[in-house]
mmCIF file of all heavy atoms in Angstrom:
data_model
loop_
_atom_site.group_PDB
_atom_site.id
_atom_site.type_symbol
_atom_site.label_atom_id
_atom_site.label_comp_id
_atom_site.label_asym_id
_atom_site.label_seq_id
_atom_site.Cartn_x
_atom_site.Cartn_y
_atom_site.Cartn_z
ATOM 1 N N ALA T 1 18.734 4.306 -4.390
ATOM 2 C CA ALA T 1 17.398 4.571 -4.786
ATOM 3 C C ALA T 1 16.819 3.389 -5.536
ATOM 4 O O ALA T 1 15.677 2.991 -5.355
ATOM 5 C CB ALA T 1 17.329 5.822 -5.684
ATOM 6 N N ARG T 2 17.607 2.807 -6.447
ATOM 7 C CA ARG T 2 17.176 1.641 -7.204
ATOM 8 C C ARG T 2 16.966 0.426 -6.252
ATOM 9 O O ARG T 2 16.070 -0.375 -6.505
ATOM 10 C CB ARG T 2 18.218 1.324 -8.253
ATOM 11 C CG ARG T 2 17.834 0.171 -9.145
ATOM 12 C CD ARG T 2 18.906 -0.080 -10.213
ATOM 13 N NE ARG T 2 20.248 -0.229 -9.653
ATOM 14 C CZ ARG T 2 21.319 -0.391 -10.333
ATOM 15 N NH1 ARG T 2 21.232 -0.379 -11.694
ATOM 16 N NH2 ARG T 2 22.460 -0.571 -9.807
ATOM 17 N N PHE T 3 17.756 0.372 -5.193
ATOM 18 C CA PHE T 3 17.724 -0.740 -4.312
ATOM 19 C C PHE T 3 16.571 -0.629 -3.315
ATOM 20 O O PHE T 3 16.192 -1.621 -2.706
ATOM 21 C CB PHE T 3 19.059 -0.813 -3.549
ATOM 22 C CG PHE T 3 19.407 -2.163 -3.067
ATOM 23 C CD1 PHE T 3 19.709 -3.215 -3.918
ATOM 24 C CD2 PHE T 3 19.544 -2.414 -1.726
ATOM 25 C CE1 PHE T 3 19.988 -4.458 -3.457
ATOM 26 C CE2 PHE T 3 19.880 -3.680 -1.205
ATOM 27 C CZ PHE T 3 20.132 -4.685 -2.092
ATOM 28 N N PHE T 4 16.010 0.570 -3.145
ATOM 29 C CA PHE T 4 14.956 0.787 -2.154
ATOM 30 C C PHE T 4 13.601 0.709 -2.845
ATOM 31 O O PHE T 4 13.310 1.483 -3.719
ATOM 32 C CB PHE T 4 15.110 2.126 -1.476
ATOM 33 C CG PHE T 4 14.106 2.381 -0.435
ATOM 34 C CD1 PHE T 4 13.953 1.540 0.649
ATOM 35 C CD2 PHE T 4 13.280 3.500 -0.491
ATOM 36 C CE1 PHE T 4 12.988 1.766 1.624
ATOM 37 C CE2 PHE T 4 12.337 3.730 0.478
ATOM 38 C CZ PHE T 4 12.176 2.892 1.547
ATOM 39 N N PRO T 5 12.727 -0.258 -2.440
ATOM 40 C CA PRO T 5 11.507 -0.551 -3.200
ATOM 41 C C PRO T 5 10.348 0.357 -2.827
ATOM 42 O O PRO T 5 9.379 -0.090 -2.173
ATOM 43 C CB PRO T 5 11.236 -1.975 -2.790
ATOM 44 C CG PRO T 5 11.735 -2.062 -1.394
ATOM 45 C CD PRO T 5 12.945 -1.144 -1.329
ATOM 46 N N VAL T 6 10.394 1.619 -3.229
ATOM 47 C CA VAL T 6 9.332 2.566 -2.856
ATOM 48 C C VAL T 6 7.932 2.059 -3.357
ATOM 49 O O VAL T 6 6.960 2.138 -2.683
ATOM 50 C CB VAL T 6 9.649 3.894 -3.468
ATOM 51 C CG1 VAL T 6 8.504 4.916 -3.211
ATOM 52 C CG2 VAL T 6 10.931 4.453 -2.856
ATOM 53 N N HIS T 7 7.959 1.489 -4.582
ATOM 54 C CA HIS T 7 6.682 1.089 -5.160
ATOM 55 C C HIS T 7 6.013 -0.027 -4.413
ATOM 56 O O HIS T 7 4.765 -0.185 -4.445
ATOM 57 C CB HIS T 7 6.942 0.612 -6.626
ATOM 58 C CG HIS T 7 7.782 -0.596 -6.739
ATOM 59 N ND1 HIS T 7 9.208 -0.487 -6.599
ATOM 60 C CD2 HIS T 7 7.542 -1.901 -6.932
ATOM 61 C CE1 HIS T 7 9.690 -1.721 -6.720
ATOM 62 N NE2 HIS T 7 8.724 -2.568 -6.919
ATOM 63 N N ILE T 8 6.772 -0.858 -3.668
ATOM 64 C CA ILE T 8 6.192 -1.974 -2.933
ATOM 65 C C ILE T 8 5.270 -1.443 -1.818
ATOM 66 O O ILE T 8 4.273 -2.067 -1.477
ATOM 67 C CB ILE T 8 7.292 -2.868 -2.352
ATOM 68 C CG1 ILE T 8 7.913 -3.676 -3.460
ATOM 69 C CG2 ILE T 8 6.780 -3.780 -1.274
ATOM 70 C CD1 ILE T 8 8.972 -4.635 -3.026
ATOM 71 N N PHE T 9 5.553 -0.271 -1.297
ATOM 72 C CA PHE T 9 4.665 0.353 -0.315
ATOM 73 C C PHE T 9 3.581 1.176 -0.963
ATOM 74 O O PHE T 9 2.429 1.114 -0.592
ATOM 75 C CB PHE T 9 5.491 1.244 0.635
ATOM 76 C CG PHE T 9 4.674 1.943 1.696
ATOM 77 C CD1 PHE T 9 4.390 1.302 2.865
ATOM 78 C CD2 PHE T 9 4.197 3.262 1.497
ATOM 79 C CE1 PHE T 9 3.645 1.928 3.873
ATOM 80 C CE2 PHE T 9 3.441 3.835 2.453
ATOM 81 C CZ PHE T 9 3.140 3.219 3.637
ATOM 82 N N VAL T 10 3.939 1.956 -2.002
ATOM 83 C CA VAL T 10 3.024 2.915 -2.574
ATOM 84 C C VAL T 10 1.865 2.266 -3.316
ATOM 85 O O VAL T 10 0.712 2.687 -3.113
ATOM 86 C CB VAL T 10 3.801 3.886 -3.472
ATOM 87 C CG1 VAL T 10 2.848 4.735 -4.305
ATOM 88 C CG2 VAL T 10 4.703 4.783 -2.678
ATOM 89 N N PHE T 11 2.159 1.263 -4.144
ATOM 90 C CA PHE T 11 1.081 0.693 -4.987
ATOM 91 C C PHE T 11 -0.027 0.097 -4.201
ATOM 92 O O PHE T 11 -1.223 0.376 -4.476
ATOM 93 C CB PHE T 11 1.700 -0.319 -5.965
ATOM 94 C CG PHE T 11 2.498 0.317 -7.067
ATOM 95 C CD1 PHE T 11 3.319 -0.454 -7.869
ATOM 96 C CD2 PHE T 11 2.468 1.686 -7.287
ATOM 97 C CE1 PHE T 11 4.087 0.127 -8.878
ATOM 98 C CE2 PHE T 11 3.220 2.281 -8.290
ATOM 99 C CZ PHE T 11 4.021 1.501 -9.086
ATOM 100 N N PRO T 12 0.190 -0.710 -3.137
ATOM 101 C CA PRO T 12 -0.957 -1.181 -2.347
ATOM 102 C C PRO T 12 -1.738 -0.031 -1.695
ATOM 103 O O PRO T 12 -2.980 -0.087 -1.625
ATOM 104 C CB PRO T 12 -0.290 -2.066 -1.263
ATOM 105 C CG PRO T 12 0.980 -2.501 -1.891
ATOM 106 C CD PRO T 12 1.435 -1.350 -2.705
ATOM 107 N N CYS T 13 -0.994 0.999 -1.262
ATOM 108 C CA CYS T 13 -1.689 2.114 -0.634
ATOM 109 C C CYS T 13 -2.585 2.878 -1.622
ATOM 110 O O CYS T 13 -3.705 3.307 -1.317
ATOM 111 C CB CYS T 13 -0.665 3.095 -0.024
ATOM 112 S SG CYS T 13 0.239 2.481 1.386
ATOM 113 N N ILE T 14 -2.094 3.039 -2.874
ATOM 114 C CA ILE T 14 -2.861 3.710 -3.899
ATOM 115 C C ILE T 14 -4.095 2.854 -4.255
ATOM 116 O O ILE T 14 -5.205 3.383 -4.406
ATOM 117 C CB ILE T 14 -2.005 3.950 -5.131
ATOM 118 C CG1 ILE T 14 -0.949 5.015 -4.879
ATOM 119 C CG2 ILE T 14 -2.902 4.363 -6.336
ATOM 120 C CD1 ILE T 14 -0.036 5.297 -6.066
ATOM 121 N N ILE T 15 -3.929 1.561 -4.343
ATOM 122 C CA ILE T 15 -5.046 0.656 -4.647
ATOM 123 C C ILE T 15 -6.124 0.824 -3.570
ATOM 124 O O ILE T 15 -7.303 0.911 -3.838
ATOM 125 C CB ILE T 15 -4.574 -0.793 -4.800
ATOM 126 C CG1 ILE T 15 -3.733 -0.931 -6.054
ATOM 127 C CG2 ILE T 15 -5.762 -1.736 -4.850
ATOM 128 C CD1 ILE T 15 -3.049 -2.300 -6.165
ATOM 129 N N GLY T 16 -5.670 0.736 -2.277
ATOM 130 C CA GLY T 16 -6.622 0.842 -1.185
ATOM 131 C C GLY T 16 -7.367 2.195 -1.206
ATOM 132 O O GLY T 16 -8.593 2.250 -0.959
ATOM 133 N N THR T 17 -6.621 3.228 -1.517
ATOM 134 C CA THR T 17 -7.250 4.602 -1.577
ATOM 135 C C THR T 17 -8.312 4.676 -2.672
ATOM 136 O O THR T 17 -9.415 5.183 -2.531
ATOM 137 C CB THR T 17 -6.168 5.645 -1.796
ATOM 138 O OG1 THR T 17 -5.215 5.583 -0.738
ATOM 139 C CG2 THR T 17 -6.777 7.024 -1.855
ATOM 140 N N LEU T 18 -7.975 4.129 -3.872
ATOM 141 C CA LEU T 18 -8.903 4.156 -4.999
ATOM 142 C C LEU T 18 -10.164 3.345 -4.738
ATOM 143 O O LEU T 18 -11.276 3.751 -5.088
ATOM 144 C CB LEU T 18 -8.200 3.676 -6.249
ATOM 145 C CG LEU T 18 -7.092 4.577 -6.815
ATOM 146 C CD1 LEU T 18 -6.412 3.923 -8.006
ATOM 147 C CD2 LEU T 18 -7.640 5.963 -7.179
ATOM 148 N N ILE T 19 -9.989 2.169 -4.110
ATOM 149 C CA ILE T 19 -11.115 1.359 -3.760
ATOM 150 C C ILE T 19 -12.056 2.096 -2.818
ATOM 151 O O ILE T 19 -13.281 2.089 -2.943
ATOM 152 C CB ILE T 19 -10.651 0.022 -3.109
ATOM 153 C CG1 ILE T 19 -9.994 -0.874 -4.151
ATOM 154 C CG2 ILE T 19 -11.861 -0.710 -2.451
ATOM 155 C CD1 ILE T 19 -9.379 -2.128 -3.575
ATOM 156 N N GLN T 20 -11.468 2.794 -1.850
ATOM 157 C CA GLN T 20 -12.255 3.521 -0.878
ATOM 158 C C GLN T 20 -12.941 4.712 -1.508
ATOM 159 O O GLN T 20 -14.091 5.072 -1.130
ATOM 160 C CB GLN T 20 -11.380 3.971 0.282
ATOM 161 C CG GLN T 20 -12.164 4.468 1.509
ATOM 162 C CD GLN T 20 -11.336 4.423 2.744
ATOM 163 O OE1 GLN T 20 -10.647 3.469 3.007
ATOM 164 N NE2 GLN T 20 -11.409 5.470 3.540
ATOM 165 N N ILE T 21 -12.296 5.345 -2.462
ATOM 166 C CA ILE T 21 -12.932 6.501 -3.170
ATOM 167 C C ILE T 21 -14.185 6.059 -3.905
ATOM 168 O O ILE T 21 -15.228 6.753 -3.828
ATOM 169 C CB ILE T 21 -11.929 7.149 -4.149
ATOM 170 C CG1 ILE T 21 -10.795 7.845 -3.408
ATOM 171 C CG2 ILE T 21 -12.651 8.152 -5.073
ATOM 172 C CD1 ILE T 21 -9.725 8.415 -4.298
ATOM 173 N N PHE T 22 -14.121 4.965 -4.635
ATOM 174 C CA PHE T 22 -15.195 4.570 -5.502
ATOM 175 C C PHE T 22 -16.202 3.580 -4.893
ATOM 176 O O PHE T 22 -17.120 3.158 -5.549
ATOM 177 C CB PHE T 22 -14.631 3.979 -6.780
ATOM 178 C CG PHE T 22 -13.858 4.988 -7.627
ATOM 179 C CD1 PHE T 22 -12.468 4.864 -7.679
ATOM 180 C CD2 PHE T 22 -14.499 6.017 -8.258
ATOM 181 C CE1 PHE T 22 -11.731 5.790 -8.407
ATOM 182 C CE2 PHE T 22 -13.758 6.928 -9.024
ATOM 183 C CZ PHE T 22 -12.362 6.816 -9.080
ATOM 184 N N ASN T 23 -15.956 3.221 -3.618
ATOM 185 C CA ASN T 23 -16.856 2.312 -2.924
ATOM 186 C C ASN T 23 -17.213 2.894 -1.526
ATOM 187 O O ASN T 23 -16.597 2.550 -0.568
ATOM 188 C CB ASN T 23 -16.243 0.924 -2.794
ATOM 189 C CG ASN T 23 -16.059 0.243 -4.098
ATOM 190 O OD1 ASN T 23 -16.975 -0.453 -4.597
ATOM 191 N ND2 ASN T 23 -14.910 0.415 -4.660
ATOM 192 N N TYR T 24 -18.194 3.804 -1.548
ATOM 193 C CA TYR T 24 -18.605 4.437 -0.321
ATOM 194 C C TYR T 24 -19.092 3.441 0.696
ATOM 195 O O TYR T 24 -19.887 2.548 0.387
ATOM 196 C CB TYR T 24 -19.702 5.449 -0.608
ATOM 197 C CG TYR T 24 -20.210 6.177 0.630
ATOM 198 C CD1 TYR T 24 -19.381 7.044 1.305
ATOM 199 C CD2 TYR T 24 -21.491 5.944 1.107
ATOM 200 C CE1 TYR T 24 -19.821 7.684 2.467
ATOM 201 C CE2 TYR T 24 -21.944 6.605 2.227
ATOM 202 C CZ TYR T 24 -21.105 7.438 2.899
ATOM 203 O OH TYR T 24 -21.503 8.115 4.035
ATOM 204 N N GLY T 25 -18.547 3.539 1.890
ATOM 205 C CA GLY T 25 -18.954 2.590 2.963
ATOM 206 C C GLY T 25 -17.940 1.451 3.129
ATOM 207 O O GLY T 25 -18.006 0.762 4.125
ATOM 208 N N LEU T 26 -17.072 1.271 2.162
ATOM 209 C CA LEU T 26 -16.039 0.241 2.230
ATOM 210 C C LEU T 26 -14.705 0.877 2.690
ATOM 211 O O LEU T 26 -14.022 1.517 1.921
ATOM 212 C CB LEU T 26 -15.867 -0.430 0.905
ATOM 213 C CG LEU T 26 -14.984 -1.666 0.835
ATOM 214 C CD1 LEU T 26 -15.546 -2.764 1.741
ATOM 215 C CD2 LEU T 26 -14.865 -2.203 -0.593
ATOM 216 N N SER T 27 -14.387 0.679 3.929
ATOM 217 C CA SER T 27 -13.197 1.310 4.516
ATOM 218 C C SER T 27 -12.036 0.357 4.495
ATOM 219 O O SER T 27 -11.861 -0.480 5.381
ATOM 220 C CB SER T 27 -13.472 1.780 5.958
ATOM 221 O OG SER T 27 -12.367 2.434 6.524
ATOM 222 N N VAL T 28 -11.212 0.459 3.426
ATOM 223 C CA VAL T 28 -10.100 -0.485 3.288
ATOM 224 C C VAL T 28 -8.701 0.223 3.268
ATOM 225 O O VAL T 28 -7.713 -0.417 3.065
ATOM 226 C CB VAL T 28 -10.242 -1.314 1.962
ATOM 227 C CG1 VAL T 28 -11.472 -2.196 2.037
ATOM 228 C CG2 VAL T 28 -10.257 -0.396 0.753
ATOM 229 N N GLY T 29 -8.738 1.530 3.448
ATOM 230 C CA GLY T 29 -7.503 2.306 3.420
ATOM 231 C C GLY T 29 -6.438 1.785 4.386
ATOM 232 O O GLY T 29 -5.290 1.474 3.944
ATOM 233 N N TRP T 30 -6.800 1.685 5.625
ATOM 234 C CA TRP T 30 -5.864 1.185 6.628
ATOM 235 C C TRP T 30 -5.456 -0.260 6.431
ATOM 236 O O TRP T 30 -4.338 -0.651 6.745
ATOM 237 C CB TRP T 30 -6.428 1.384 8.045
ATOM 238 C CG TRP T 30 -6.337 2.791 8.521
ATOM 239 C CD1 TRP T 30 -7.374 3.670 8.687
ATOM 240 C CD2 TRP T 30 -5.167 3.537 8.855
ATOM 241 N NE1 TRP T 30 -6.930 4.887 9.117
ATOM 242 C CE2 TRP T 30 -5.548 4.836 9.229
ATOM 243 C CE3 TRP T 30 -3.815 3.182 8.908
ATOM 244 C CZ2 TRP T 30 -4.642 5.821 9.648
ATOM 245 C CZ3 TRP T 30 -2.896 4.181 9.302
ATOM 246 C CH2 TRP T 30 -3.310 5.441 9.678
ATOM 247 N N LEU T 31 -6.368 -1.052 5.899
ATOM 248 C CA LEU T 31 -6.061 -2.446 5.617
ATOM 249 C C LEU T 31 -4.902 -2.530 4.603
ATOM 250 O O LEU T 31 -3.924 -3.286 4.793
ATOM 251 C CB LEU T 31 -7.305 -3.194 5.096
ATOM 252 C CG LEU T 31 -7.052 -4.612 4.551
ATOM 253 C CD1 LEU T 31 -6.586 -5.513 5.672
ATOM 254 C CD2 LEU T 31 -8.342 -5.159 3.922
ATOM 255 N N PHE T 32 -5.035 -1.759 3.507
ATOM 256 C CA PHE T 32 -3.965 -1.793 2.459
ATOM 257 C C PHE T 32 -2.684 -1.161 2.926
ATOM 258 O O PHE T 32 -1.617 -1.556 2.539
ATOM 259 C CB PHE T 32 -4.520 -1.149 1.173
ATOM 260 C CG PHE T 32 -5.328 -2.054 0.344
ATOM 261 C CD1 PHE T 32 -6.670 -2.315 0.617
ATOM 262 C CD2 PHE T 32 -4.761 -2.771 -0.725
ATOM 263 C CE1 PHE T 32 -7.430 -3.140 -0.165
ATOM 264 C CE2 PHE T 32 -5.523 -3.606 -1.511
ATOM 265 C CZ PHE T 32 -6.844 -3.804 -1.220
ATOM 266 N N VAL T 33 -2.778 -0.186 3.816
ATOM 267 C CA VAL T 33 -1.589 0.445 4.405
ATOM 268 C C VAL T 33 -0.844 -0.616 5.228
ATOM 269 O O VAL T 33 0.414 -0.723 5.197
ATOM 270 C CB VAL T 33 -1.933 1.645 5.241
ATOM 271 C CG1 VAL T 33 -0.693 2.093 6.099
ATOM 272 C CG2 VAL T 33 -2.306 2.816 4.332
ATOM 273 N N SER T 34 -1.624 -1.396 5.995
ATOM 274 C CA SER T 34 -1.017 -2.479 6.832
ATOM 275 C C SER T 34 -0.355 -3.521 5.967
ATOM 276 O O SER T 34 0.770 -3.993 6.255
ATOM 277 C CB SER T 34 -2.076 -3.134 7.681
ATOM 278 O OG SER T 34 -2.703 -2.203 8.564
ATOM 279 N N ILE T 35 -0.985 -3.862 4.848
ATOM 280 C CA ILE T 35 -0.399 -4.838 3.907
ATOM 281 C C ILE T 35 0.910 -4.275 3.311
ATOM 282 O O ILE T 35 1.919 -4.967 3.212
ATOM 283 C CB ILE T 35 -1.382 -5.186 2.781
ATOM 284 C CG1 ILE T 35 -2.574 -5.963 3.365
ATOM 285 C CG2 ILE T 35 -0.703 -5.969 1.694
ATOM 286 C CD1 ILE T 35 -3.706 -6.167 2.349
ATOM 287 N N ALA T 36 0.886 -2.956 2.983
ATOM 288 C CA ALA T 36 2.044 -2.340 2.423
ATOM 289 C C ALA T 36 3.211 -2.360 3.405
ATOM 290 O O ALA T 36 4.348 -2.565 3.057
ATOM 291 C CB ALA T 36 1.710 -0.896 2.003
ATOM 292 N N PHE T 37 2.879 -2.078 4.666
ATOM 293 C CA PHE T 37 3.916 -2.120 5.715
ATOM 294 C C PHE T 37 4.541 -3.501 5.877
ATOM 295 O O PHE T 37 5.747 -3.660 6.077
ATOM 296 C CB PHE T 37 3.334 -1.692 7.056
ATOM 297 C CG PHE T 37 3.359 -0.161 7.306
ATOM 298 C CD1 PHE T 37 2.234 0.515 7.590
ATOM 299 C CD2 PHE T 37 4.566 0.528 7.212
ATOM 300 C CE1 PHE T 37 2.268 1.892 7.799
ATOM 301 C CE2 PHE T 37 4.617 1.889 7.359
ATOM 302 C CZ PHE T 37 3.470 2.578 7.694
ATOM 303 N N GLN T 38 3.708 -4.538 5.703
ATOM 304 C CA GLN T 38 4.249 -5.895 5.790
ATOM 305 C C GLN T 38 5.165 -6.167 4.603
ATOM 306 O O GLN T 38 6.233 -6.788 4.761
ATOM 307 C CB GLN T 38 3.066 -6.896 5.759
ATOM 308 C CG GLN T 38 2.270 -6.944 7.063
ATOM 309 C CD GLN T 38 3.093 -7.367 8.265
ATOM 310 O OE1 GLN T 38 3.888 -8.286 8.200
ATOM 311 N NE2 GLN T 38 2.916 -6.646 9.372
ATOM 312 N N PHE T 39 4.778 -5.709 3.427
ATOM 313 C CA PHE T 39 5.619 -5.878 2.241
ATOM 314 C C PHE T 39 6.981 -5.203 2.419
ATOM 315 O O PHE T 39 8.029 -5.782 2.193
ATOM 316 C CB PHE T 39 4.928 -5.279 0.992
ATOM 317 C CG PHE T 39 3.848 -6.113 0.440
ATOM 318 C CD1 PHE T 39 2.887 -5.562 -0.416
ATOM 319 C CD2 PHE T 39 3.711 -7.445 0.785
ATOM 320 C CE1 PHE T 39 1.855 -6.359 -0.928
ATOM 321 C CE2 PHE T 39 2.665 -8.270 0.291
ATOM 322 C CZ PHE T 39 1.744 -7.696 -0.596
ATOM 323 N N ILE T 40 6.918 -3.934 2.879
ATOM 324 C CA ILE T 40 8.160 -3.177 2.960
ATOM 325 C C ILE T 40 9.033 -3.699 4.092
ATOM 326 O O ILE T 40 10.275 -3.738 3.992
ATOM 327 C CB ILE T 40 7.884 -1.662 3.192
ATOM 328 C CG1 ILE T 40 9.040 -0.790 2.768
ATOM 329 C CG2 ILE T 40 7.521 -1.338 4.609
ATOM 330 C CD1 ILE T 40 9.246 -0.740 1.279
ATOM 331 N N GLN T 41 8.421 -4.198 5.155
ATOM 332 C CA GLN T 41 9.216 -4.781 6.268
ATOM 333 C C GLN T 41 9.935 -6.044 5.799
ATOM 334 O O GLN T 41 11.139 -6.228 6.119
ATOM 335 C CB GLN T 41 8.315 -5.117 7.446
ATOM 336 C CG GLN T 41 9.042 -5.673 8.629
ATOM 337 C CD GLN T 41 8.136 -5.984 9.810
ATOM 338 O OE1 GLN T 41 6.953 -6.307 9.620
ATOM 339 N NE2 GLN T 41 8.671 -5.936 11.017
ATOM 340 N N SER T 42 9.238 -6.880 5.070
ATOM 341 C CA SER T 42 9.900 -8.126 4.605
ATOM 342 C C SER T 42 11.025 -7.813 3.607
ATOM 343 O O SER T 42 12.082 -8.411 3.664
ATOM 344 C CB SER T 42 8.852 -8.999 3.892
ATOM 345 O OG SER T 42 7.877 -9.385 4.818
ATOM 346 N N TYR T 43 10.759 -6.826 2.695
ATOM 347 C CA TYR T 43 11.779 -6.511 1.714
ATOM 348 C C TYR T 43 13.017 -5.871 2.366
ATOM 349 O O TYR T 43 14.137 -6.202 2.041
ATOM 350 C CB TYR T 43 11.193 -5.576 0.683
ATOM 351 C CG TYR T 43 11.963 -5.488 -0.616
ATOM 352 C CD1 TYR T 43 11.554 -6.176 -1.734
ATOM 353 C CD2 TYR T 43 13.151 -4.728 -0.705
ATOM 354 C CE1 TYR T 43 12.273 -6.156 -2.953
ATOM 355 C CE2 TYR T 43 13.869 -4.685 -1.901
ATOM 356 C CZ TYR T 43 13.430 -5.408 -2.995
ATOM 357 O OH TYR T 43 14.159 -5.375 -4.141
ATOM 358 N N LEU T 44 12.773 -4.953 3.312
ATOM 359 C CA LEU T 44 13.865 -4.268 3.944
ATOM 360 C C LEU T 44 14.682 -5.218 4.848
ATOM 361 O O LEU T 44 15.900 -5.076 5.018
ATOM 362 C CB LEU T 44 13.362 -3.095 4.819
ATOM 363 C CG LEU T 44 12.811 -1.894 4.021
ATOM 364 C CD1 LEU T 44 12.323 -0.819 4.987
ATOM 365 C CD2 LEU T 44 13.861 -1.364 3.066
#
């Protein structure tokens, strides 16, 4: 559990979600999910 970087995926996704919540018309959710997937792929 300590060795698996859950936060590396979750934090970018949360940031993208919050940006999209407070900025109507700015659709960045999938962009940040894609970035998170790149992070987790490199780390794994």
Side-chain angles (χ1 to χ4, degrees):
R2 180 178 56 182
F3 204 65
F4 182 57
V6 176
H7 63 283
I8 286 182
F9 179 87
V10 169
F11 288 168
C13 292
I14 290 178
I15 291 171
T17 301
L18 292 176
I19 291 175
Q20 193 159 317
I21 290 174
F22 296 108
N23 293 272
Y24 179 67
L26 188 61
S27 183
V28 296
W30 282 109
L31 172 63
F32 277 82
V33 167
S34 299
I35 293 172
F37 272 124
Q38 289 298 317
F39 284 162
I40 203 71
Q41 183 181 27
S42 298
Y43 199 101
L44 290 180

